[in-house]
């Protein structure tokens, strides 16, 4: 750690936002004022390597924003739930003490559970923080002990995670540093420059040594613009492209027979299936929009990488691929490719989707699911899929028809990110729904809250971190005191637990005890990963098995697989079924001919940072914009600057048209933002559905059909 200048100290923290990089962060704190004056990337961290993304480099603007929520508040009597003007939200609330608000919440939850049953209480959270404590520890204990409904947290990565586990048995992949040794890098459904920037230097290192970069994405991202080739695949057709690559590899005998025989199960069945004519490059070209010649060429290049002195092929598969109705199948199919070619055997080969399963934290000790047996139910409570929040708020789920009468939202801006948002907002408006929101700012969700609780940033509390994009465990130390009366999740749910279940020791633990419990495991990959060492060194590598050359090569031998067969699972075969909401479907609604991509902004983290002026400036070119291909715009008489309506049977939004070469014909795109920051108070999720992915119960944001029409000549004319 660098030496602090006089009058300051340097604290090692970790960015706990929802990003694969999980960066080591050095926070310089003025010892006189206790104020953080600088954040920088940890130069000693092997992946962070001294720099931060544009989002977190400006993190002090977030921490010290004058818009921070600093005190508990409750809604004023007579003020209806609904959208509040940005900057005037506080007018709807009145300040209340922590003791008062905790008693209020505990009393309402007790009464709700007594009248409607404990499952009428629903927690709603996701990855506003991915620290082990903040993401899921005391909150789970509290809701388990209550008997509240369980939340299936599936909005982001569940389909891809389920796919990875089906094929390999564990969420593990190629280390980011090893991409530097690749001879071919395929980035499939991911924007490295936008949300995985610390992988980029390793890809560039490989390219300096002669590697090629191919990006497969329906949108021309920053990463695609810098690639050697960009393939603008049609949304939802990724399984067919992967099958076409298999078709070429098997047809030409380019598979690794010895590796497949030793390390895979179901190879013969997959070979026979992939060689069907419907999986030929010519057939795939008609549906995917990728030229048959290109498919033939990349398939051979991919299969031959790593052989005869060549460097291996690495695939960076990201979660964009699995946000279609067939997203689980898509991820499974791509994850099978290195099992067919044996690219795992050489450094720089394989596939990286997530490494989160590599961290054997004792989560059962943190979350204590056995507390459900102590609840009034005496059993595990029902499970509500978070992508179906709209349905959950308007009706009971299952045969019991238990209504949701209390909603506790934390680590999540539910009103903005949940699909089919018109139905979600209708539910949030209910006067009989008691809603608690734990947040750092007034968001779209706090507009519907009965009670608002101020939350800390990662600089203001301590947490324990794994990662889903590298292989280092870390501790994030508290750098500064919480601003105002902001409190961490652990404290909030612990205090509620003490009030509702007095004398029960599970709610007495605080950060130090919880960290020790999470690390209380005998797993060999955590050998040497101790609380004391993490506090001393900041980051500690996992102890993964190494070969005789000291190389860590996941899935290079059978010992790595954690599937029932002990091998890579190539069955059931990944059959391509076109999403209902896609051009490839025979069941599509002809009223809506355009495929809609509700993308994430490069300089926000989902909706986090969207309210900050500096980040808005970085995103100004795409704020409130609908990107269209020139053919689609011309067919509708739309010009740059025209205000347009984008609609389908679920809702509509107003955006400003931008004719763009970043999308292909038949595809339109807009980015996720807060509703209250938009032209008409809606965002892209007014158009997305609550339909779930084929496996994993994930969100299907990228299986959305729409139509577009002009409603004004241009913004300047409308303003005049």
């Amino acid at each position: 750690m660098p030496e602090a200048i006089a009058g300051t100290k340097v604290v090692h923290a970790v960015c706990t936002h929802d990003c694969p990089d999980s960066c080591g962060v050095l926070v310089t704190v003025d010892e006189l004022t206790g104020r953080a004056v600088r954040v920088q990337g940890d130069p000693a961290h092997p992946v962070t390597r001294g720099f931060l993304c544009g989002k977190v480099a400006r993190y002090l603007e977030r921490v010290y924003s004058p818009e921070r929520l600093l005190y508990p508040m409750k809604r004023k009597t007579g003020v209806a739930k609904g959208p509040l003007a940005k900057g005037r939200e506080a007018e709807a609330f009145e300040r209340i003490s922590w003791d008062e608000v905790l008693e209020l919440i505990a009393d309402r939850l007790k009464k709700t559970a007594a009248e409607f049953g404990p499952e009428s209480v629903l927690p709603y959270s996701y990855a506003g923080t991915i620290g082990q404590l903040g993401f899921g520890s005391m909150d789970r204990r509290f809701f388990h002990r209550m008997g509240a409904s369980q939340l299936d947290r599936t909005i982001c990565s569940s389909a891809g995670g389920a796919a990875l586990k089906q094929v390999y048995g564990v969420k593990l992949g190629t280390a980011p540093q090893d991409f530097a040794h690749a001879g071919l890098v395929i980035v499939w459904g991911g924007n490295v420059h936008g949300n995985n920037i610390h992988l980029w230097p390793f890809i560039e290192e490989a390219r300096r040594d002669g590697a090629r970069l191919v990006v497969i994405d329906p949108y021309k991202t920053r990463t695609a613009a810098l690639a050697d080739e960009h393939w603008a695949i049609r949304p939802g057709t990724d399984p067919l492209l992967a099958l076409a690559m298999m078709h070429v590899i098997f047809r030409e005998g380019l598979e690794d027979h010895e590796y497949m025989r030793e390390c895979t199960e179901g190879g013969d069945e997959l070979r026979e299936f992939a060689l069907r004519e419907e999986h030929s490059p010519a057939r795939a070209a008609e549906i995917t929009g990728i030229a048959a010649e290109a498919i033939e060429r990349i398939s051979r290049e991919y299969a031959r990488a790593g052989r005869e002195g060549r460097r291996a092929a690495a695939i960076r598969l990201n979660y964009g691929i699995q946000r279609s109705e067939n997203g689980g199948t898509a991820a499974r199919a791509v994850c099978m490719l290195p099992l067919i070619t044996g690219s795992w055997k050489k450094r720089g080969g394989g596939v990286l989707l997530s490494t989160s399963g590599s961290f054997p934290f004792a989560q059962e000790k943190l979350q204590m699911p056995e507390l459900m047996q102590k609840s009034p139910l005496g059993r595990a409570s029902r499970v509500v899929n978070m992508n179906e929040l709209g349905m959950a708020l308007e009706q009971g789920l299952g045969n019991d028809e238990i209504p949701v009468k209390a909603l506790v939202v934390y680590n999540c801006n539910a009103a903005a990110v949940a699909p089919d948002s018109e139905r979600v907002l209708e539910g949030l408006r209910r006067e009989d729904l008691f809603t608690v929101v734990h947040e750092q700012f007034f968001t779209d969700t706090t507009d519907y809250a009965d009670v608002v609780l101020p939350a800390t940033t990662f600089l203001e509390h301590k947490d324990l971190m794994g990662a889903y994009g590298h292989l280092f465990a870390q501790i994030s130390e508290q750098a500064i005191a919480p601003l105002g009366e902001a409190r961490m999740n652990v404290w909030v749910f612990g205090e509620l637990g003490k009030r509702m279940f007095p004398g029960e020791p599970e709610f007495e633990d605080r950060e130090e005890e919880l960290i020790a419990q999470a690390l209380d495991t005998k797993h060999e990959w955590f050998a040497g990963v101790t609380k004391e060492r993490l506090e001393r060194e900041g980051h500690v590598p996992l102890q993964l098995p190494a070969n005789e050359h000291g190389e860590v090569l996941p899935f290079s031998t059978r010992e790595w697989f954690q599937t029932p067969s002990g091998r890579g699972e190539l069955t059931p075969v990944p059959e391509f079924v076109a999403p209902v909401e896609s051009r490839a479907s025979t069941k599509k609604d002809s009223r809506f001919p355009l495929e809609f991509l509700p993308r994430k902004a490069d300089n926000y983290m989902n909706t986090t940072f969207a309210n900050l002026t500096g980040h808005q400036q970085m995103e100004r070119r795409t704020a409130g914009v609908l990107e269209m291909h020139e053919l689609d715009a011309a067919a509708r008489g739309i010009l740059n600057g025209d205000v347009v309506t984008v609609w389908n049977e679920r809702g509509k939004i107003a955006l400003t048209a931008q004719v763009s070469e970043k999308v292909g014909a038949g595809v339109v795109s807009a980015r996720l933002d807060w509703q209250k920051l938009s032209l008409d108070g809606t965002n892209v999720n007014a158009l997305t559905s609550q339909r779930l992915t084929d496996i994993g119960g994930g969100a299907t944001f990228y299986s959305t059909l729409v139509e577009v029409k002009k409603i004004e000549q241009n913004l300047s004319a409308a303003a005049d």
Side-chain angles (χ1 to χ4, degrees):
M1 186 177 295
E3 187 173 332
I5 62 174
T8 68
K9 63 178 179 179
V10 177
V11 180
H12 181 277
V14 183
C15 176
T16 62
H17 286 284
D18 187 7
C19 171
D21 294 2
S22 292
C23 288
V25 180
L26 301 183
V27 185
T28 303
V29 180
D30 184 308
E31 292 190 290
L32 179 62
T33 64
R35 185 180 177 93
V37 295
R38 184 186 184 193
V39 294
Q40 64 187 108
D42 183 356
H45 192 290
V47 177
T48 306
R49 302 208 294 183
F51 75 97
L52 297 173
C53 69
K55 297 180 278 289
V56 179
R58 309 181 70 145
Y59 201 70
L60 295 185
E61 295 177 23
R62 180 174 183 84
V63 174
Y64 294 113
S65 169
E67 298 178 3
R68 274 286 300 275
L69 286 170
L70 299 179
Y71 305 100
M73 286 172 287
K74 67 176 181 178
R75 184 171 293 273
K76 291 178 180 176
T77 303
V79 176
K81 299 177 181 180
L84 299 170
K86 188 175 185 301
R88 300 187 60 182
E89 297 96 337
E91 296 174 13
F93 297 91
E94 58 187 1
R95 185 171 168 181
I96 185 173
S97 72
W98 268 110
D99 281 340
E100 291 174 303
V101 80
L102 291 169
E103 289 295 336
L104 185 157
I105 295 169
D107 182 63
R108 285 295 299 268
L109 294 184
K110 285 178 185 177
K111 289 178 177 176
T112 299
E115 183 175 356
F116 300 101
E119 290 170 305
S120 64
V121 177
L122 177 66
Y124 198 91
S125 71
Y126 197 65
T129 170
I130 58 173
Q132 288 294 303
L133 277 56
F135 179 78
S137 62
M138 193 62 71
D139 58 314
R140 310 300 168 87
R141 293 184 185 186
F142 174 72
F143 290 115
H144 288 157
R145 178 65 180 84
M146 266 195 71
S149 290
Q150 298 180 78
L151 185 72
D152 200 4
R153 292 172 171 84
T154 56
I155 201 165
C156 180
S157 61
S158 61
L164 196 59
K165 292 191 73 172
Q166 282 188 19
V167 177
Y168 292 97
V170 60
K171 289 192 281 187
L172 173 63
T174 307
Q177 305 95 302
D178 286 350
F179 276 73
H181 300 274
L184 170 68
V185 177
I186 299 176
V187 174
W188 201 323
N191 181 13
V192 174
H193 254 269
N195 51 40
N196 188 193
I197 190 61
H198 290 84
L199 178 62
W200 185 252
F202 299 113
I203 293 176
E204 280 296 278
E205 187 176 337
R207 296 176 81 184
R208 286 194 294 272
D209 285 341
R212 289 198 330 113
L213 172 63
V214 177
V215 173
I216 302 170
D217 198 302
Y219 183 87
K220 190 174 184 179
T221 62
R222 292 180 186 175
T223 312
L226 294 169
D228 297 292
E229 288 187 69
H230 169 220
W231 292 5
I233 190 170
R234 290 174 182 162
T237 64
D238 304 87
L240 185 55
L241 177 57
L243 283 164
M245 291 178 65
M246 295 179 197
H247 182 97
V248 175
I249 293 168
F250 285 130
R251 185 191 68 203
E252 301 194 5
L254 296 175
E255 69 269 36
D256 187 325
H257 296 277
E258 182 180 348
Y259 177 86
M260 287 187 68
R261 184 168 53 252
E262 173 65 19
C263 292
T264 69
E265 189 80 10
D268 290 342
E269 187 176 345
L270 179 62
R271 180 185 291 106
E272 180 181 354
F273 180 72
L275 286 172
R276 291 181 182 178
E277 180 58 28
E278 67 252 36
H279 303 139
S280 68
R283 175 62 175 150
E286 297 173 5
I287 298 174
T288 65
I290 309 300
E293 177 277 328
I295 298 173
E296 295 270 3
R297 175 168 46 81
I298 195 66
S299 302
R300 296 188 188 101
E301 184 179 356
Y302 176 75
R304 289 169 178 160
R307 301 185 186 182
E308 300 172 359
R310 296 184 179 94
R311 287 148 61 95
I315 299 175
R316 176 52 168 126
L317 175 66
N318 215 338
Y319 287 111
I321 195 175
Q322 49 98 81
R323 294 194 179 104
S324 296
E325 293 166 31
N326 59 18
T329 297
R332 285 184 64 244
V334 176
C335 286
M336 290 177 183
L337 288 170
L339 294 176
I340 295 169
T341 63
S343 72
W344 290 109
K345 297 190 302 183
K346 197 166 186 178
R347 192 175 183 191
V351 63
L352 173 61
L353 174 61
S354 173
T355 61
S356 63
S358 312
F359 295 85
F361 294 114
Q363 291 180 332
E364 70 285 353
K365 295 178 182 177
L366 284 181
Q367 301 181 10
M368 302 185 69
E370 67 273 15
L371 288 176
M372 285 188 282
Q373 305 303 320
K374 289 180 64 177
S375 77
L377 299 175
R379 56 168 172 81
S381 54
R382 71 174 177 180
V383 178
V384 175
N385 188 303
M386 69 186 306
N387 297 307
E388 297 177 327
L389 179 62
M391 289 189 285
L393 293 180
E394 70 184 15
Q395 63 188 29
L397 295 181
N399 296 325
D400 49 19
E401 294 296 326
I402 300 171
V404 174
K405 290 289 187 177
L407 181 71
V408 183
V409 183
Y410 55 105
N411 294 351
C412 185
N413 185 4
V417 302
D420 200 358
S421 60
E422 292 301 298
R423 292 175 75 179
V424 172
L425 298 180
E426 185 178 350
L428 290 174
R429 289 188 190 97
R430 286 171 32 205
E431 288 302 319
D432 68 327
L433 177 71
F434 177 64
T435 302
V436 178
V437 181
H438 186 220
E439 250 296 354
Q440 297 168 358
F441 293 88
F442 283 115
T443 65
D444 289 333
T445 309
T446 60
D447 287 356
Y448 298 84
D450 293 284
V451 172
V452 177
L453 307 176
T456 47
T457 66
F458 74 78
L459 268 60
E460 299 163 78
H461 59 243
K462 188 170 185 175
D463 212 329
L464 175 66
M465 283 289 292
Y468 63 92
H470 63 66
L471 298 165
F472 294 88
Q474 301 178 83
I475 273 185
S476 182
E477 298 285 0
Q478 181 178 340
I480 60 174
L483 271 64
E485 295 179 9
R487 297 291 183 268
M488 184 187 184
N489 295 354
V490 169
W491 185 89
V492 172
F493 290 106
E495 290 300 309
L496 284 172
K498 291 176 185 177
R499 282 164 172 78
M500 291 187 66
F501 312 107
E504 299 192 12
E506 295 87 359
F507 302 106
E508 298 292 337
D509 294 332
R510 287 292 178 257
E511 291 92 321
E512 299 297 335
E513 292 85 3
L514 292 171
I515 289 171
Q517 291 163 18
L519 292 171
D520 185 14
T521 173
K522 304 300 181 184
H523 197 289
E524 59 187 2
W525 293 1
F526 255 10
V529 179
T530 64
K531 182 172 178 289
E532 294 72 25
R533 186 180 173 194
L534 287 167
E535 290 173 336
R536 183 174 65 251
E537 300 178 20
H539 63 270
V540 176
L542 299 180
Q543 296 301 305
L544 299 176
N547 64 17
E548 65 273 19
H549 305 294
E551 298 173 322
V552 175
L553 301 178
F555 310 113
S556 56
T557 59
R558 279 186 58 183
E559 289 72 25
W560 286 90
F561 295 92
Q562 297 182 26
T563 58
S565 69
R567 293 179 169 88
E569 299 282 359
L570 301 178
T571 54
V573 294
E575 182 179 359
F576 171 63
V577 177
V580 172
E581 292 202 42
S582 74
R583 283 178 289 172
S585 174
T586 59
K587 302 176 182 178
K588 63 181 178 290
D589 189 332
S590 59
R591 295 176 298 165
F592 307 114
L594 298 173
E595 293 180 295
F596 179 57
L597 293 177
R599 299 185 61 252
K600 296 181 181 181
D602 287 340
N603 297 293
Y604 305 161
M605 187 68 68
N606 300 311
T607 66
T608 301
F609 301 107
N611 61 313
L612 301 175
T613 303
H615 294 75
Q616 290 171 350
Q617 278 294 104
M618 292 191 288
E619 282 292 325
R620 64 189 180 279
R621 291 183 180 86
T622 57
V625 163
L626 180 75
E627 295 179 278
M628 305 182 69
H629 190 272
E630 59 182 358
L631 294 177
D632 297 318
R636 292 161 177 80
I638 294 171
L639 302 175
N640 273 325
D642 284 344
V643 179
V644 297
T645 294
V646 189
W647 88 97
N648 59 22
E649 60 187 358
R650 289 177 290 272
K652 63 180 180 179
I653 59 175
L655 295 167
T656 303
Q658 184 181 95
V659 178
S660 172
E661 49 85 36
K662 292 183 179 179
V663 291
V667 177
V668 294
S669 176
R671 64 160 172 75
L672 177 65
D673 208 334
W674 287 16
Q675 291 159 339
K676 66 172 63 184
L677 300 178
S678 67
L679 281 173
D680 61 350
T682 58
N683 74 1
V684 294
N685 280 316
L687 305 172
T688 58
S689 80
Q690 296 180 71
R691 192 178 288 116
L692 303 178
T693 53
D694 48 357
I695 62 174
T700 57
F701 295 121
Y702 298 160
S703 291
T704 302
L705 288 175
V706 300
E707 181 54 290
V708 180
K709 67 178 179 181
K710 179 168 63 175
I711 56 175
E712 292 286 351
Q713 283 299 312
N714 54 58
L715 279 178
S716 58
D720 294 340

